[in-house]
Amino acid sequence: MNALLISALSGIAMMFGGFALKRASAVRGLAYVLLLLVLGGALLDLRGIELYHIANVERMLRFDRFASLFMAVAVVATLAYFLLSARDMEKVGKHYAEYFTLIFFILTGVAMTAAFQSLLILFLGIEVLSIPLYILAGSEKNNLKSNEAALKYFLMGSFSTGLMLMGIALLYGATGTFDTVGYVPGDAGVPVLMTAGMLMLLFALSFKVSAAPFHFWTPDVYDGSPTVFTSFMATVVKAAGFIAFMRLFNESFGGIAMQWKLIVAVIVAITLFIGNITAVFQQSVKRMLAYSSIAQAGFMMMAVYALNSDALDGLILYAAAYSFATIGIFAVLIRMKDQSFEGFNGFARQQPLVAATLVIFLLSLAGIPLTAGFLSKFYMLRATLQAGSLALPVFAVLMAAISVYYYFRLLQAMYFREGNSGSTLRLNTGFKATLVALAALTIALGLFPELLTGWLYF
């Protein structure tokens, strides 16, 4: 509860701070301080310490270790995002403080989706998380692609919200409660209302996490939105959607798994196939990362299929590994004038340290050993095997092998192509140090995953 309250209050403080603080450096400083307070609140939640107790919320919100640990990961990823990309947000438009305000409100929605105990709180969390994103997607007002991205995101998001509300209404009709109680089928089987409501929630959440075939908005929205906000949209927000997905199906629909497991398996397979195959043919690194995020969603979706302890561990580790690597890559991509693969030709000769960190991030996304990305994929494969599926892990491994091709295209451009990219980049020491820290953390979690997953148990 600490993280939720502090992030909401931080959003309000940031909003009013924008009126008082005229210098961009002061606005950034306030954002850093407030985010550190949110991180402190998340760590206190993890320790079970409440700064302020609100009575009678147990049926609406429960900050157990799973929710609190994910919130801590989300805030750390947001801190890395601020350190790497906060200065670039200033170039988007005049409303600098308001961008930070919206991000703090998004973190409030992340906290709600991570800890909900009621379908109504799930709905509110998804909306609190989504509405600021619609604004950020269209924040580059003079860019028609940004306007199109915001409109497309808003219209498709509104449709999925309607689907979610209809599913919640049907579940209420079947159970008589909005609580996320586990349903146990009786002799008469599963009611039609329950099945229909569950499927609508499945499809609505699949849209939110850009799982196929509900992914069509993702490439255009990610490509059209300002790159600095795409970075946050594709990482913390996507991971929060999967935490909500996992929590809902684990607590409410685990007892009727036979009703939905085949559908989820099909969604996983289609998502992995479409994301990886389409990413191969992209010429823009930004658009490649958009399709890559769809492919990564397929791996994270395997946790929803499995619903076991390895899936819980793997999803937390995956959220951290994917967020750190993607935020690091986008931080460099933001500063590149040419965002195609050719725009990175010869990058390693001009920026050897930054190129080395990009190598680690790309290896992690590809699932190469000694990185956090490898172990997170391994957890997902093992969880799916334990859930009784052999075909799905085999197919996932084949798709992961395909992903190596388009990630290594960027490595090839940086190290084995002639060019002069990166020569005009002016990267300060703090930026490089943050990239190195993220790369080191990616390797550390690949070698010692218990540094993160151990918090779930001790």
Side-chain angles (χ1 to χ4, degrees), residues 296 299-300 302-303 308-322 325 360-386 397 400 440-454:
Q296 302 289 350
F299 263 99
M300 286 190 267
M302 293 170 77
N308 51 35
S309 60
D310 273 343
L312 288 173
D313 293 351
L315 191 57
I316 289 288
L317 188 61
Y318 213 119
Y322 170 67
I360 294 172
F361 297 145
L362 290 167
L363 293 179
S364 181
L365 290 177
I368 303 301
L370 301 183
T371 63
F374 167 75
L375 270 185
S376 55
K377 283 181 168 62
F378 173 76
Y379 273 113
M380 292 303 180
L381 295 172
R382 190 169 70 176
T384 311
L385 282 171
Q386 289 177 355
V397 169
L441 193 55
T442 300
I443 293 175
L445 290 177
L447 296 174
F448 309 104
E450 63 275 5
L451 292 174
L452 180 62
T453 58

Side-chain angles (χ1 to χ4, degrees), residues 49-114:
I49 301 171
E50 281 188 339
L51 293 176
Y52 182 76
H53 178 70
I54 300 177
N56 302 320
V57 297
E58 290 79 11
R59 290 181 60 185
M60 294 186 289
L61 291 161
R62 187 178 83 239
F63 281 89
D64 54 12
R65 283 187 173 271
F66 183 64
S68 300
L69 182 57
F70 171 72
M71 191 61 195
V73 169
V75 177
V76 170
T78 306
L79 180 60
Y81 168 72
F82 277 5
L83 291 171
L84 291 170
S85 305
R87 293 179 183 273
D88 300 292
M89 290 164 57
E90 193 177 352
K91 303 172 186 175
V92 176
K94 298 181 292 184
H95 308 286
Y96 192 42
E98 283 78 359
Y99 301 147
F100 289 106
T101 300
L102 292 171
I103 289 171
F104 278 113
F105 286 142
I106 290 171
L107 286 178
T108 305
V110 168
M112 294 173 72
T113 55

Side-chain angles (χ1 to χ4, degrees), residues 22-24 27 61 64 98 103 113 133 187 201 239 271 276 292 296 324 326 358 400 404 408 413 428 446 449:
K22 301 304 179 185
R23 295 177 58 188
V27 171
L61 291 161
D64 54 12
E98 283 78 359
I103 289 171
T113 55
L133 285 175
D187 296 335
L201 280 173
T271 304
N276 284 299
S292 161
Q296 302 289 350
F324 296 157
T326 307
L358 289 181
V404 173
F408 275 47
N428 59 39

Side-chain angles (χ1 to χ4, degrees), residues 123-368:
F123 167 72
L124 288 176
I126 292 290
E127 289 308 293
V128 170
L129 183 150
S130 298
I131 292 172
L133 285 175
Y134 304 150
I135 301 170
L136 291 176
S139 56
E140 209 167 17
K141 295 183 174 128
N142 297 325
N143 186 340
L144 289 178
K145 288 181 70 176
S146 178
N147 297 336
E148 179 190 351
L151 182 60
K152 185 173 291 188
Y153 196 14
F154 172 71
L155 292 176
M156 297 296 290
S158 300
F159 177 77
S160 74
T161 296
L163 205 61
M164 178 179 290
L165 279 175
M166 188 63 185
I168 290 172
L170 293 178
L171 286 175
Y172 181 78
T175 63
T177 180
F178 290 114
D179 296 345
T180 56
V181 293
Y183 181 77
V184 180
D187 296 335
V190 182
V192 175
L193 283 181
M194 168 69 71
T195 303
M198 179 268 298
L199 288 176
M200 286 187 176
L201 280 173
L202 171 62
F203 298 150
L205 288 172
S206 295
F207 169 87
K208 296 298 182 184
V209 299
S210 65
F214 310 96
H215 69 287
F216 293 106
W217 61 274
T218 308
D220 291 337
V221 171
Y222 283 12
D223 192 33
S225 301
T227 308
V228 67
F229 297 132
T230 304
S231 173
F232 189 73
M233 194 185 300
T235 52
V236 174
V237 174
K238 182 187 285 287
F242 275 107
I243 296 298
F245 219 141
M246 182 80 172
R247 188 165 204 120
L248 176 65
F249 275 71
N250 190 37
E251 296 185 2
S252 294
F253 306 131
I256 55 170
M258 296 305 295
Q259 298 287 316
W260 53 264
K261 273 216 168 186
L262 179 60
I263 298 173
V264 170
V266 171
I267 290 175
V268 169
I270 294 175
T271 304
L272 288 168
F273 181 80
I274 291 178
N276 284 299
I277 296 299
T278 318
V280 168
F281 299 101
Q282 303 307 310
Q283 299 306 314
S284 163
V285 175
K286 185 178 180 182
R287 204 164 178 88
M288 179 273 285
L289 290 172
Y291 281 105
S292 161
S293 76
I294 296 172
Q296 302 289 350
F299 263 99
M300 286 190 267
M301 194 82 171
M302 293 170 77
V304 180
Y305 176 87
L307 293 184
N308 51 35
S309 60
D310 273 343
L312 288 173
D313 293 351
L315 191 57
I316 289 288
L317 188 61
Y318 213 119
Y322 170 67
S323 296
F324 296 157
T326 307
I327 286 171
I329 295 171
F330 267 108
V332 178
L333 187 64
I334 291 165
R335 304 182 179 214
M336 299 292 291
K337 290 181 180 178
D338 184 356
Q339 296 186 345
S340 66
F341 283 93
E342 288 73 18
F344 281 84
N345 287 350
F347 185 83
R349 295 181 183 85
Q350 304 295 332
Q351 301 286 346
L353 180 62
V354 176
T357 61
L358 289 181
V359 168
I360 294 172
F361 297 145
L362 290 167
L363 293 179
S364 181
L365 290 177
I368 303 301

